[in-house]
Amino acid sequence: MPKTPSWTALTMRPSGTWDDDAYAGIVLSCALAVAAAGAAAALWLVPSIRRAGPWWWILPALLLGVVAGARRALSG
């Protein structure tokens, strides 16, 4: 099963303060998750999509984007 940016952003843990690659992966995963949430929100703003999908359809994507943004802010 492929890992999504949201899953990677939440589960990746650096081995220590010296683990720059893990920190870079966290930053990239968080950025991709926030971008995906923004793209889903922008797509939902299209009137034809908004008529087809209820307003709560966008909530999971936005929630994951907020959590990834918080993870990025707290990771230092």
Side-chain angles (χ1 to χ4, degrees), residues 6-64:
S6 298
W7 177 258
T8 305
L10 295 177
T11 60
M12 187 179 292
R13 301 283 184 250
S15 297
T17 57
W18 50 267
D19 198 357
D20 293 333
D21 291 336
Y23 285 112
I26 292 169
V27 170
L28 177 63
S29 295
C30 289
L32 290 174
V34 169
L43 179 66
W44 189 76
L45 291 176
V46 175
S48 61
I49 301 293
R50 197 174 18 194
R51 281 192 299 270
W55 64 269
W56 51 264
W57 174 82
I58 197 70
L59 289 181
L62 293 178
L63 179 64
L64 288 173

